[in-house]
Amino acid sequence: MRTRRSVRHPVPALAALLLAAALALTGCSAGDDASGGSSSAADRADGKGVSGEAAPGGTGSGAKATAPPKLATSHIIRTASLTVRVKDVPKALDQARTGVENAGGYVGNETTTRDAGGHERTRVVLRVPVEKYEEVLADLEGSGKLLDRSAKAEDVTDQVVDVESRIKTQRASVARIRELMDQATKLSDVVTLEGELSTRQADLEALLARQKSLKDRTSLATITLSLSETPVKKEAKDDDPGFVDALAGGWSAFVTMLRWLAVAFGAVLPFAAVAALVVWLWLRVVRPRLPRRPAPAATALGPLPTARPAPESAQPGTPGERD
């Protein structure tokens, strides 16, 4: 009986010991969780994620997923053409030039002509910054009576991106060729690499020139402005012609006739001069050298007598001869 008691008594004690150890472990894990939670909160306040890396903008890993994507810049070529009728072309041109220069642009090609009626017409190319394009265009349209207007916008964003990418690739290619040239030991290899380097540098310069042209055309808009003067209205006159009008008309017709005669004489004069020269050469040079016709042949006794007709009485068959 004592032996059974000694066996039964250690079991409850062991169970109690295990229960106390489990409670102690549970308390320690709870404390660790609390401290871990506080450290996580501190890390989030410092702008760090769970992995300890700083998130963009200091907002944590969650803010990184909600950040707005960066939009690509658009590259647009803007061109416009205006035809405006004004009373004074030089004055309107000065105003347009001043407005463009104040906007940060400049004046390109300029052409001025004057028609038969004395009306002046000017065509000028203006380059203005894109951000001032609409403002300058509105000012030019209001400078007079708008006769014609056309505008065009061409999106070349793809071309700009493509050129930039090709420039980066070409620069890397040129750098690789230069590295190979530094490592080359044979003269033939150096000559081959120099030729390849020249070709790739030429391609790179062409791409850079195209990039510069695209940048100029997208940063500055082109406006072609045509200015023409307003025809001056003439005073109304009496339609009935008088003596002075008839005299003026006759004199105008006479002057016109003389002008046409002078034109006709001027047109015929070269031909007449050539014909006179040909006749002179014929009479002075060619004709004296031509062989002359031979004179009639003569005998030693002199020229042969010519036959004379017989008299009527001596003719045979006449009555006087029969007698």
Side-chain angles (χ1 to χ4, degrees):
M1 296 297 292
R2 289 181 181 179
T3 305
R4 293 178 180 177
R5 289 179 182 177
S6 59
V7 174
R8 291 178 181 178
H9 285 292
V11 174
L14 182 59
L17 181 61
L18 293 175
L19 180 60
L23 292 175
L25 292 173
T26 305
C28 292
S29 62
D32 293 337
D33 293 341
S35 62
S38 60
S39 62
S40 299
D43 291 340
R44 287 194 297 270
D46 292 337
K48 298 181 179 180
V50 177
S51 61
E53 297 178 358
T59 57
S61 60
K64 183 178 180 180
T66 59
K70 185 178 179 180
L71 299 178
T73 305
S74 298
H75 300 273
I76 301 175
I77 298 176
R78 300 185 181 275
T79 57
S81 177
L82 296 176
T83 302
V84 183
R85 175 172 292 175
V86 295
K87 294 182 179 180
D88 190 352
V89 169
K91 182 179 179 180
L93 182 60
D94 291 339
Q95 293 177 355
R97 185 183 291 108
T98 302
V100 170
E101 291 177 353
N102 292 337
Y106 64 92
V107 179
N109 298 332
E110 180 180 341
T111 305
T112 301
T113 57
R114 189 179 295 273
D115 58 10
H119 304 141
E120 189 173 350
R121 181 180 178 88
T122 299
R123 182 179 181 273
V124 61
V125 179
L126 308 174
R127 302 297 306 280
V128 297
V130 175
E131 57 272 11
K132 297 289 185 178
Y133 168 73
E134 297 293 342
E135 179 181 352
V136 174
L137 195 62
D139 293 341
L140 295 177
E141 291 178 359
S143 61
K145 182 179 180 181
L146 181 63
L147 301 180
D148 186 23
R149 179 184 185 273
S150 62
K152 181 181 179 181
E154 180 182 1
D155 191 354
V156 294
T157 304
D158 296 340
Q159 298 182 24
V160 173
V161 174
D162 178 67
V163 170
E164 291 178 353
S165 176
R166 293 173 62 184
I167 287 176
K168 292 180 181 179
T169 304
Q170 199 68 20
R171 282 176 174 170
S173 178
V174 171
R176 286 196 300 270
I177 294 296
R178 288 178 176 174
E179 291 177 359
L180 292 176
M181 288 182 62
D182 295 338
Q183 299 174 3
T185 57
K186 295 181 179 181
L187 181 60
S188 59
D189 296 340
V190 173
V191 173
T192 303
L193 291 173
E194 284 181 351
E196 188 66 22
L197 179 62
S198 299
T199 302
R200 299 192 182 189
Q201 283 182 342
D203 295 340
L204 178 59
E205 291 176 359
L207 290 173
L208 291 174
R210 185 179 178 187
Q211 184 186 42
K212 183 179 179 181
S213 176
L214 288 173
K215 182 178 180 181
D216 177 73
R217 296 167 62 191
T218 54
S219 60
L220 294 175
T222 303
I223 301 176
T224 303
L225 177 63
S226 297
L227 299 173
S228 61
E229 290 184 350
T230 303
V232 180
K233 295 183 179 180
K234 298 180 179 180
E235 298 179 357
K237 295 182 179 180
D238 190 5
D239 295 336
D240 296 335
F243 175 77
V244 177
D245 296 333
L247 182 61
W251 177 256
S252 177
F254 178 72
V255 172
T256 303
M257 182 189 67
L258 291 179
R259 186 183 298 113
W260 281 109
L261 289 176
V263 171
F265 178 76
V268 175
L269 184 60
F271 299 96
V274 173
L277 179 61
V278 170
V279 172
W280 183 84
L281 291 174
W282 171 261
L283 295 177
R284 296 293 183 179
V285 179
V286 179
R287 186 175 180 181
R289 295 183 180 181
L290 292 177
R292 298 182 179 181
R293 295 180 180 180
T299 62
L301 300 177
L304 297 175
T306 57
R308 296 181 179 179
E312 294 181 359
S313 60
Q315 292 181 359
T318 57
E321 185 179 357
R322 284 183 239 159
D323 295 337

